[in-house]
mmCIF file of all heavy atoms in Angstrom:
data_model
loop_
_atom_site.group_PDB
_atom_site.id
_atom_site.type_symbol
_atom_site.label_atom_id
_atom_site.label_comp_id
_atom_site.label_asym_id
_atom_site.label_seq_id
_atom_site.Cartn_x
_atom_site.Cartn_y
_atom_site.Cartn_z
ATOM 1 N N ARG A 1075 232.214 56.222 -42.909
ATOM 2 C CA ARG A 1075 232.050 57.337 -41.970
ATOM 3 C C ARG A 1075 232.986 57.089 -40.793
ATOM 4 O O ARG A 1075 232.941 56.021 -40.163
ATOM 5 C CB ARG A 1075 230.596 57.398 -41.488
ATOM 6 C CG ARG A 1075 230.305 58.581 -40.628
ATOM 7 C CD ARG A 1075 229.923 59.765 -41.487
ATOM 8 N NE ARG A 1075 229.545 60.887 -40.654
ATOM 9 C CZ ARG A 1075 229.925 62.122 -40.917
ATOM 10 N NH1 ARG A 1075 230.655 62.397 -41.963
ATOM 11 N NH2 ARG A 1075 229.546 63.106 -40.138
ATOM 12 N N VAL A 1076 233.832 58.045 -40.502
ATOM 13 C CA VAL A 1076 234.766 57.970 -39.374
ATOM 14 C C VAL A 1076 234.182 58.815 -38.256
ATOM 15 O O VAL A 1076 233.900 59.998 -38.445
ATOM 16 C CB VAL A 1076 236.158 58.495 -39.777
ATOM 17 C CG1 VAL A 1076 237.085 58.536 -38.575
ATOM 18 C CG2 VAL A 1076 236.739 57.648 -40.901
ATOM 19 N N VAL A 1077 233.989 58.208 -37.081
ATOM 20 C CA VAL A 1077 233.353 58.910 -35.964
ATOM 21 C C VAL A 1077 234.188 58.731 -34.691
ATOM 22 O O VAL A 1077 234.263 57.634 -34.134
ATOM 23 C CB VAL A 1077 231.917 58.400 -35.721
ATOM 24 C CG1 VAL A 1077 231.287 59.135 -34.538
ATOM 25 C CG2 VAL A 1077 231.065 58.553 -36.977
ATOM 26 N N TYR A 1078 234.805 59.829 -34.275
ATOM 27 C CA TYR A 1078 235.502 59.868 -32.991
ATOM 28 C C TYR A 1078 234.528 60.431 -31.969
ATOM 29 O O TYR A 1078 233.855 61.433 -32.231
ATOM 30 C CB TYR A 1078 236.718 60.801 -33.048
ATOM 31 C CG TYR A 1078 237.894 60.283 -33.828
ATOM 32 C CD1 TYR A 1078 237.956 60.432 -35.207
ATOM 33 C CD2 TYR A 1078 238.961 59.670 -33.185
ATOM 34 C CE1 TYR A 1078 239.054 59.982 -35.926
ATOM 35 C CE2 TYR A 1078 240.062 59.223 -33.898
ATOM 36 C CZ TYR A 1078 240.106 59.383 -35.267
ATOM 37 O OH TYR A 1078 241.189 58.936 -35.978
ATOM 38 N N ARG A 1079 234.473 59.807 -30.816
ATOM 39 C CA ARG A 1079 233.683 60.324 -29.704
ATOM 40 C C ARG A 1079 234.607 60.521 -28.507
ATOM 41 O O ARG A 1079 235.697 59.974 -28.463
ATOM 42 C CB ARG A 1079 232.561 59.349 -29.334
ATOM 43 C CG ARG A 1079 231.532 59.209 -30.450
ATOM 44 C CD ARG A 1079 230.293 58.443 -29.982
ATOM 45 N NE ARG A 1079 229.283 58.414 -31.017
ATOM 46 C CZ ARG A 1079 228.411 59.392 -31.272
ATOM 47 N NH1 ARG A 1079 228.414 60.475 -30.538
ATOM 48 N NH2 ARG A 1079 227.533 59.277 -32.245
ATOM 49 N N LYS A 1080 234.143 61.301 -27.557
ATOM 50 C CA LYS A 1080 234.854 61.442 -26.294
ATOM 51 C C LYS A 1080 234.321 60.380 -25.328
ATOM 52 O O LYS A 1080 233.355 59.678 -25.624
ATOM 53 C CB LYS A 1080 234.672 62.858 -25.717
ATOM 54 C CG LYS A 1080 235.488 63.895 -26.458
ATOM 55 C CD LYS A 1080 236.968 63.627 -26.299
ATOM 56 C CE LYS A 1080 237.839 64.747 -26.800
ATOM 57 N NZ LYS A 1080 239.259 64.492 -26.532
ATOM 58 N N TYR A 1081 234.940 60.264 -24.169
ATOM 59 C CA TYR A 1081 234.607 59.189 -23.232
ATOM 60 C C TYR A 1081 233.157 59.242 -22.757
ATOM 61 O O TYR A 1081 232.571 58.226 -22.426
ATOM 62 C CB TYR A 1081 235.570 59.212 -22.042
ATOM 63 C CG TYR A 1081 235.679 57.878 -21.341
ATOM 64 C CD1 TYR A 1081 236.463 56.862 -21.870
ATOM 65 C CD2 TYR A 1081 234.993 57.635 -20.167
ATOM 66 C CE1 TYR A 1081 236.564 55.640 -21.247
ATOM 67 C CE2 TYR A 1081 235.088 56.415 -19.524
ATOM 68 C CZ TYR A 1081 235.874 55.417 -20.072
ATOM 69 O OH TYR A 1081 235.971 54.201 -19.442
ATOM 70 N N ASP A 1082 232.562 60.439 -22.760
ATOM 71 C CA ASP A 1082 231.163 60.586 -22.353
ATOM 72 C C ASP A 1082 230.205 60.351 -23.532
ATOM 73 O O ASP A 1082 229.022 60.647 -23.438
ATOM 74 C CB ASP A 1082 230.912 61.960 -21.733
ATOM 75 C CG ASP A 1082 231.143 63.110 -22.703
ATOM 76 O OD1 ASP A 1082 231.626 62.883 -23.841
ATOM 77 O OD2 ASP A 1082 230.854 64.263 -22.312
ATOM 78 N N GLU A 1083 230.747 59.831 -24.650
ATOM 79 C CA GLU A 1083 230.005 59.526 -25.889
ATOM 80 C C GLU A 1083 229.678 60.768 -26.719
ATOM 81 O O GLU A 1083 229.033 60.662 -27.763
ATOM 82 C CB GLU A 1083 228.714 58.726 -25.612
ATOM 83 C CG GLU A 1083 228.989 57.340 -25.071
ATOM 84 C CD GLU A 1083 229.654 56.409 -26.087
ATOM 85 O OE1 GLU A 1083 229.342 56.496 -27.286
ATOM 86 O OE2 GLU A 1083 230.491 55.595 -25.670
ATOM 87 N N LYS A 1084 230.105 61.948 -26.282
ATOM 88 C CA LYS A 1084 229.853 63.168 -27.043
ATOM 89 C C LYS A 1084 230.595 63.093 -28.382
ATOM 90 O O LYS A 1084 231.759 62.690 -28.442
ATOM 91 C CB LYS A 1084 230.328 64.385 -26.250
ATOM 92 C CG LYS A 1084 230.032 65.702 -26.923
ATOM 93 C CD LYS A 1084 230.478 66.871 -26.049
ATOM 94 C CE LYS A 1084 230.231 68.188 -26.768
ATOM 95 N NZ LYS A 1084 230.752 69.304 -25.988
ATOM 96 N N LEU A 1085 229.909 63.499 -29.447
ATOM 97 C CA LEU A 1085 230.488 63.486 -30.777
ATOM 98 C C LEU A 1085 231.704 64.407 -30.837
ATOM 99 O O LEU A 1085 231.656 65.545 -30.391
ATOM 100 C CB LEU A 1085 229.435 63.927 -31.799
ATOM 101 C CG LEU A 1085 229.829 63.872 -33.269
ATOM 102 C CD1 LEU A 1085 230.165 62.447 -33.706
ATOM 103 C CD2 LEU A 1085 228.690 64.435 -34.124
ATOM 104 N N HIS A 1086 232.793 63.889 -31.398
ATOM 105 C CA HIS A 1086 234.028 64.671 -31.555
ATOM 106 C C HIS A 1086 234.257 64.839 -33.064
ATOM 107 O O HIS A 1086 233.361 65.264 -33.770
ATOM 108 C CB HIS A 1086 235.171 63.949 -30.826
ATOM 109 C CG HIS A 1086 236.400 64.760 -30.633
ATOM 110 N ND1 HIS A 1086 236.396 66.082 -30.236
ATOM 111 C CD2 HIS A 1086 237.712 64.439 -30.783
ATOM 112 C CE1 HIS A 1086 237.634 66.525 -30.144
ATOM 113 N NE2 HIS A 1086 238.462 65.557 -30.485
ATOM 114 N N TRP A 1087 235.393 64.492 -33.591
ATOM 115 C CA TRP A 1087 235.663 64.627 -35.028
ATOM 116 C C TRP A 1087 234.929 63.555 -35.817
ATOM 117 O O TRP A 1087 234.868 62.396 -35.402
ATOM 118 C CB TRP A 1087 237.159 64.546 -35.300
ATOM 119 C CG TRP A 1087 237.880 65.791 -34.899
ATOM 120 C CD1 TRP A 1087 238.637 65.968 -33.777
ATOM 121 C CD2 TRP A 1087 237.894 67.038 -35.599
ATOM 122 N NE1 TRP A 1087 239.123 67.255 -33.736
ATOM 123 C CE2 TRP A 1087 238.683 67.929 -34.851
ATOM 124 C CE3 TRP A 1087 237.315 67.483 -36.785
ATOM 125 C CZ2 TRP A 1087 238.909 69.243 -35.246
ATOM 126 C CZ3 TRP A 1087 237.548 68.790 -37.187
ATOM 127 C CH2 TRP A 1087 238.337 69.658 -36.410
ATOM 128 N N HIS A 1088 234.437 63.942 -36.992
ATOM 129 C CA HIS A 1088 233.781 62.972 -37.867
ATOM 130 C C HIS A 1088 233.873 63.444 -39.309
ATOM 131 O O HIS A 1088 233.918 64.653 -39.580
ATOM 132 C CB HIS A 1088 232.319 62.745 -37.442
ATOM 133 C CG HIS A 1088 231.512 63.990 -37.298
ATOM 134 N ND1 HIS A 1088 230.595 64.402 -38.235
ATOM 135 C CD2 HIS A 1088 231.491 64.937 -36.318
ATOM 136 C CE1 HIS A 1088 230.027 65.528 -37.832
ATOM 137 N NE2 HIS A 1088 230.561 65.881 -36.673
ATOM 138 N N GLN A 1089 233.945 62.473 -40.226
ATOM 139 C CA GLN A 1089 234.014 62.784 -41.648
ATOM 140 C C GLN A 1089 233.831 61.509 -42.469
ATOM 141 O O GLN A 1089 233.933 60.398 -41.941
ATOM 142 C CB GLN A 1089 235.339 63.447 -42.010
ATOM 143 C CG GLN A 1089 236.540 62.511 -42.016
ATOM 144 C CD GLN A 1089 237.824 63.229 -42.344
ATOM 145 O OE1 GLN A 1089 238.632 63.455 -41.466
ATOM 146 N NE2 GLN A 1089 238.023 63.588 -43.604
ATOM 147 N N TRP A 1090 233.563 61.691 -43.755
ATOM 148 C CA TRP A 1090 233.504 60.585 -44.710
ATOM 149 C C TRP A 1090 234.865 60.438 -45.365
ATOM 150 O O TRP A 1090 235.514 61.427 -45.702
ATOM 151 C CB TRP A 1090 232.457 60.847 -45.786
ATOM 152 C CG TRP A 1090 231.055 60.662 -45.293
ATOM 153 C CD1 TRP A 1090 230.202 61.624 -44.837
ATOM 154 C CD2 TRP A 1090 230.352 59.423 -45.184
ATOM 155 N NE1 TRP A 1090 229.016 61.064 -44.458
ATOM 156 C CE2 TRP A 1090 229.075 59.713 -44.657
ATOM 157 C CE3 TRP A 1090 230.676 58.094 -45.469
ATOM 158 C CZ2 TRP A 1090 228.122 58.731 -44.425
ATOM 159 C CZ3 TRP A 1090 229.731 57.117 -45.247
ATOM 160 C CH2 TRP A 1090 228.474 57.432 -44.723
ATOM 161 N N MET A 1091 235.303 59.174 -45.540
ATOM 162 C CA MET A 1091 236.575 58.897 -46.206
ATOM 163 C C MET A 1091 236.400 57.698 -47.135
ATOM 164 O O MET A 1091 235.482 56.897 -46.960
ATOM 165 C CB MET A 1091 237.671 58.615 -45.171
ATOM 166 C CG MET A 1091 237.926 59.772 -44.206
ATOM 167 S SD MET A 1091 239.308 59.476 -43.094
ATOM 168 C CE MET A 1091 240.658 60.082 -44.126
ATOM 169 N N ARG A 1092 237.308 57.595 -48.094
ATOM 170 C CA ARG A 1092 237.295 56.473 -49.035
ATOM 171 C C ARG A 1092 238.088 55.291 -48.483
ATOM 172 O O ARG A 1092 239.194 55.475 -47.965
ATOM 173 C CB ARG A 1092 237.957 56.863 -50.354
ATOM 174 C CG ARG A 1092 237.247 57.901 -51.128
ATOM 175 C CD ARG A 1092 237.992 58.122 -52.443
ATOM 176 N NE ARG A 1092 237.645 59.412 -52.999
ATOM 177 C CZ ARG A 1092 238.387 60.079 -53.852
ATOM 178 N NH1 ARG A 1092 239.528 59.586 -54.263
ATOM 179 N NH2 ARG A 1092 237.989 61.243 -54.309
ATOM 180 N N TYR A 1093 237.542 54.102 -48.656
ATOM 181 C CA TYR A 1093 238.261 52.879 -48.289
ATOM 182 C C TYR A 1093 239.381 52.669 -49.301
ATOM 183 O O TYR A 1093 239.140 52.633 -50.511
ATOM 184 C CB TYR A 1093 237.304 51.692 -48.288
ATOM 185 C CG TYR A 1093 237.964 50.381 -47.952
ATOM 186 C CD1 TYR A 1093 238.125 49.986 -46.633
ATOM 187 C CD2 TYR A 1093 238.446 49.547 -48.955
ATOM 188 C CE1 TYR A 1093 238.744 48.785 -46.313
ATOM 189 C CE2 TYR A 1093 239.063 48.341 -48.646
ATOM 190 C CZ TYR A 1093 239.215 47.967 -47.329
ATOM 191 O OH TYR A 1093 239.840 46.782 -47.018
ATOM 192 N N LEU A 1094 240.622 52.527 -48.826
ATOM 193 C CA LEU A 1094 241.773 52.347 -49.712
ATOM 194 C C LEU A 1094 242.339 50.938 -49.672
ATOM 195 O O LEU A 1094 243.024 50.527 -50.599
ATOM 196 C CB LEU A 1094 242.881 53.343 -49.345
ATOM 197 C CG LEU A 1094 242.512 54.818 -49.417
ATOM 198 C CD1 LEU A 1094 243.667 55.676 -48.916
ATOM 199 C CD2 LEU A 1094 242.121 55.208 -50.831
ATOM 200 N N GLY A 1095 242.112 50.220 -48.569
ATOM 201 C CA GLY A 1095 242.648 48.866 -48.467
ATOM 202 C C GLY A 1095 243.037 48.521 -47.047
ATOM 203 O O GLY A 1095 242.900 49.330 -46.124
ATOM 204 N N GLU A 1096 243.535 47.303 -46.917
ATOM 205 C CA GLU A 1096 243.989 46.820 -45.608
ATOM 206 C C GLU A 1096 245.291 46.069 -45.802
ATOM 207 O O GLU A 1096 245.472 45.357 -46.796
ATOM 208 C CB GLU A 1096 242.935 45.920 -44.963
ATOM 209 C CG GLU A 1096 243.330 45.450 -43.575
ATOM 210 C CD GLU A 1096 242.211 44.769 -42.802
ATOM 211 O OE1 GLU A 1096 241.106 44.614 -43.350
ATOM 212 O OE2 GLU A 1096 242.463 44.393 -41.636
ATOM 213 N N ASP A 1097 246.211 46.241 -44.858
ATOM 214 C CA ASP A 1097 247.475 45.514 -44.865
ATOM 215 C C ASP A 1097 247.782 45.077 -43.436
ATOM 216 O O ASP A 1097 246.898 45.126 -42.564
ATOM 217 C CB ASP A 1097 248.596 46.354 -45.483
ATOM 218 C CG ASP A 1097 248.878 47.658 -44.736
ATOM 219 O OD1 ASP A 1097 248.479 47.790 -43.554
ATOM 220 O OD2 ASP A 1097 249.503 48.557 -45.336
ATOM 221 N N GLU A 1098 249.009 44.680 -43.194
ATOM 222 C CA GLU A 1098 249.360 44.183 -41.854
ATOM 223 C C GLU A 1098 249.273 45.255 -40.774
ATOM 224 O O GLU A 1098 249.251 44.943 -39.580
ATOM 225 C CB GLU A 1098 250.758 43.548 -41.853
ATOM 226 C CG GLU A 1098 251.896 44.512 -42.107
ATOM 227 C CD GLU A 1098 252.307 44.613 -43.572
ATOM 228 O OE1 GLU A 1098 251.444 44.451 -44.470
ATOM 229 O OE2 GLU A 1098 253.494 44.863 -43.817
ATOM 230 N N TYR A 1099 249.203 46.525 -41.162
ATOM 231 C CA TYR A 1099 249.131 47.614 -40.195
ATOM 232 C C TYR A 1099 247.705 47.985 -39.817
ATOM 233 O O TYR A 1099 247.474 48.589 -38.780
ATOM 234 C CB TYR A 1099 249.873 48.844 -40.725
ATOM 235 C CG TYR A 1099 251.311 48.531 -41.042
ATOM 236 C CD1 TYR A 1099 251.733 48.410 -42.357
ATOM 237 C CD2 TYR A 1099 252.232 48.305 -40.026
ATOM 238 C CE1 TYR A 1099 253.052 48.096 -42.659
ATOM 239 C CE2 TYR A 1099 253.548 47.980 -40.316
ATOM 240 C CZ TYR A 1099 253.954 47.876 -41.632
ATOM 241 O OH TYR A 1099 255.256 47.550 -41.922
ATOM 242 N N GLY A 1100 246.755 47.652 -40.677
ATOM 243 C CA GLY A 1100 245.368 47.972 -40.401
ATOM 244 C C GLY A 1100 244.624 48.383 -41.654
ATOM 245 O O GLY A 1100 245.052 48.106 -42.774
ATOM 246 N N VAL A 1101 243.513 49.073 -41.450
ATOM 247 C CA VAL A 1101 242.657 49.535 -42.541
ATOM 248 C C VAL A 1101 243.014 50.988 -42.851
ATOM 249 O O VAL A 1101 243.150 51.810 -41.944
ATOM 250 C CB VAL A 1101 241.165 49.420 -42.165
ATOM 251 C CG1 VAL A 1101 240.285 49.927 -43.295
ATOM 252 C CG2 VAL A 1101 240.817 47.980 -41.807
ATOM 253 N N TRP A 1102 243.130 51.275 -44.144
ATOM 254 C CA TRP A 1102 243.509 52.611 -44.603
ATOM 255 C C TRP A 1102 242.322 53.277 -45.291
ATOM 256 O O TRP A 1102 241.686 52.674 -46.163
ATOM 257 C CB TRP A 1102 244.664 52.528 -45.587
ATOM 258 C CG TRP A 1102 245.936 52.038 -44.982
ATOM 259 C CD1 TRP A 1102 246.315 50.727 -44.815
ATOM 260 C CD2 TRP A 1102 247.009 52.820 -44.458
ATOM 261 N NE1 TRP A 1102 247.554 50.659 -44.225
ATOM 262 C CE2 TRP A 1102 248.006 51.930 -43.993
ATOM 263 C CE3 TRP A 1102 247.221 54.192 -44.344
ATOM 264 C CZ2 TRP A 1102 249.189 52.380 -43.426
ATOM 265 C CZ3 TRP A 1102 248.410 54.630 -43.775
ATOM 266 C CH2 TRP A 1102 249.379 53.735 -43.323
ATOM 267 N N LEU A 1103 242.041 54.514 -44.897
ATOM 268 C CA LEU A 1103 241.023 55.337 -45.528
ATOM 269 C C LEU A 1103 241.686 56.630 -45.993
ATOM 270 O O LEU A 1103 242.686 57.056 -45.408
ATOM 271 C CB LEU A 1103 239.893 55.678 -44.554
ATOM 272 C CG LEU A 1103 239.138 54.531 -43.889
ATOM 273 C CD1 LEU A 1103 238.076 55.082 -42.950
ATOM 274 C CD2 LEU A 1103 238.520 53.598 -44.912
ATOM 275 N N GLY A 1104 241.117 57.254 -47.018
ATOM 276 C CA GLY A 1104 241.712 58.482 -47.514
ATOM 277 C C GLY A 1104 240.682 59.525 -47.887
ATOM 278 O O GLY A 1104 239.528 59.200 -48.168
ATOM 279 N N ALA A 1105 241.126 60.767 -47.885
ATOM 280 C CA ALA A 1105 240.290 61.894 -48.308
ATOM 281 C C ALA A 1105 241.136 62.792 -49.199
ATOM 282 O O ALA A 1105 242.247 63.172 -48.824
ATOM 283 C CB ALA A 1105 239.776 62.666 -47.104
ATOM 284 N N PRO A 1106 240.624 63.119 -50.398
ATOM 285 C CA PRO A 1106 241.383 63.981 -51.302
ATOM 286 C C PRO A 1106 241.401 65.420 -50.796
ATOM 287 O O PRO A 1106 240.667 65.778 -49.875
ATOM 288 C CB PRO A 1106 240.603 63.865 -52.613
ATOM 289 C CG PRO A 1106 239.213 63.546 -52.203
ATOM 290 C CD PRO A 1106 239.330 62.722 -50.946
ATOM 291 N N PRO A 1107 242.223 66.265 -51.421
ATOM 292 C CA PRO A 1107 242.210 67.686 -51.055
ATOM 293 C C PRO A 1107 240.789 68.251 -51.156
ATOM 294 O O PRO A 1107 239.995 67.822 -51.992
ATOM 295 C CB PRO A 1107 243.129 68.334 -52.102
ATOM 296 C CG PRO A 1107 244.023 67.232 -52.557
ATOM 297 C CD PRO A 1107 243.187 65.983 -52.489
ATOM 298 N N ASN A 1108 240.506 69.205 -50.294
ATOM 299 C CA ASN A 1108 239.217 69.909 -50.233
ATOM 300 C C ASN A 1108 238.077 69.049 -49.696
ATOM 301 O O ASN A 1108 236.906 69.360 -49.925
ATOM 302 C CB ASN A 1108 238.866 70.537 -51.583
ATOM 303 C CG ASN A 1108 239.918 71.524 -52.023
ATOM 304 O OD1 ASN A 1108 240.344 72.362 -51.241
ATOM 305 N ND2 ASN A 1108 240.387 71.394 -53.247
ATOM 306 N N SER A 1109 238.412 67.997 -48.967
ATOM 307 C CA SER A 1109 237.394 67.221 -48.257
ATOM 308 C C SER A 1109 237.027 67.960 -46.979
ATOM 309 O O SER A 1109 237.763 68.827 -46.513
ATOM 310 C CB SER A 1109 237.930 65.831 -47.912
ATOM 311 O OG SER A 1109 238.192 65.103 -49.079
ATOM 312 N N VAL A 1110 235.896 67.585 -46.411
ATOM 313 C CA VAL A 1110 235.460 68.265 -45.193
ATOM 314 C C VAL A 1110 235.507 67.329 -43.990
ATOM 315 O O VAL A 1110 235.323 66.123 -44.113
ATOM 316 C CB VAL A 1110 234.035 68.857 -45.323
ATOM 317 C CG1 VAL A 1110 234.001 69.951 -46.365
ATOM 318 C CG2 VAL A 1110 233.024 67.788 -45.624
ATOM 319 N N ALA A 1111 235.794 67.919 -42.845
ATOM 320 C CA ALA A 1111 235.746 67.240 -41.554
ATOM 321 C C ALA A 1111 234.992 68.170 -40.613
ATOM 322 O O ALA A 1111 234.863 69.373 -40.864
ATOM 323 C CB ALA A 1111 237.148 66.963 -41.030
ATOM 324 N N GLN A 1112 234.506 67.609 -39.520
ATOM 325 C CA GLN A 1112 233.727 68.422 -38.590
ATOM 326 C C GLN A 1112 233.968 67.938 -37.173
ATOM 327 O O GLN A 1112 234.047 66.740 -36.914
ATOM 328 C CB GLN A 1112 232.245 68.297 -38.946
ATOM 329 C CG GLN A 1112 231.342 69.227 -38.196
ATOM 330 C CD GLN A 1112 229.911 69.171 -38.705
ATOM 331 O OE1 GLN A 1112 229.536 68.286 -39.472
ATOM 332 N NE2 GLN A 1112 229.093 70.109 -38.264
ATOM 333 N N ARG A 1113 234.095 68.889 -36.251
ATOM 334 C CA ARG A 1113 234.218 68.558 -34.833
ATOM 335 C C ARG A 1113 232.862 68.820 -34.193
ATOM 336 O O ARG A 1113 232.373 69.950 -34.183
ATOM 337 C CB ARG A 1113 235.294 69.390 -34.156
ATOM 338 C CG ARG A 1113 235.426 69.022 -32.675
ATOM 339 C CD ARG A 1113 236.653 69.533 -32.005
ATOM 340 N NE ARG A 1113 236.922 70.932 -32.272
ATOM 341 C CZ ARG A 1113 238.064 71.526 -31.945
ATOM 342 N NH1 ARG A 1113 239.038 70.847 -31.382
ATOM 343 N NH2 ARG A 1113 238.234 72.798 -32.202
ATOM 344 N N GLY A 1114 232.248 67.731 -33.689
ATOM 345 C CA GLY A 1114 230.945 67.857 -33.060
ATOM 346 C C GLY A 1114 229.954 68.480 -34.020
ATOM 347 O O GLY A 1114 229.836 68.051 -35.162
ATOM 348 N N ASP A 1115 229.273 69.540 -33.555
ATOM 349 C CA ASP A 1115 228.327 70.231 -34.432
ATOM 350 C C ASP A 1115 228.849 71.608 -34.849
ATOM 351 O O ASP A 1115 228.102 72.458 -35.310
ATOM 352 C CB ASP A 1115 226.957 70.346 -33.766
ATOM 353 C CG ASP A 1115 226.998 71.106 -32.441
ATOM 354 O OD1 ASP A 1115 228.087 71.572 -32.035
ATOM 355 O OD2 ASP A 1115 225.939 71.228 -31.801
#
């Protein structure tokens, strides 16, 4: 679950993504076409 919040802790963008791996740049997650995302409520 990816959860972005604003500085006041208010929910911003959030969605479920698949774990793809980690390399020297960081952790990679992915979502196939037709996945859903949501801003707040």
Side-chain angles (χ1 to χ4, degrees):
R1075 185 87 176 138
V1076 175
V1077 179
Y1078 287 84
R1079 294 190 175 278
K1080 286 296 190 176
Y1081 203 79
D1082 63 353
E1083 294 292 324
K1084 184 178 177 185
L1085 185 61
H1086 193 43
W1087 286 103
H1088 52 103
Q1089 73 182 106
W1090 285 96
M1091 300 185 87
R1092 294 183 200 157
Y1093 179 86
L1094 301 175
E1096 183 169 2
D1097 61 19
E1098 66 267 31
Y1099 303 106
V1101 179
W1102 294 85
L1103 303 179
N1108 301 313
S1109 296
V1110 295
Q1112 188 173 12
R1113 181 166 47 191
D1115 59 1

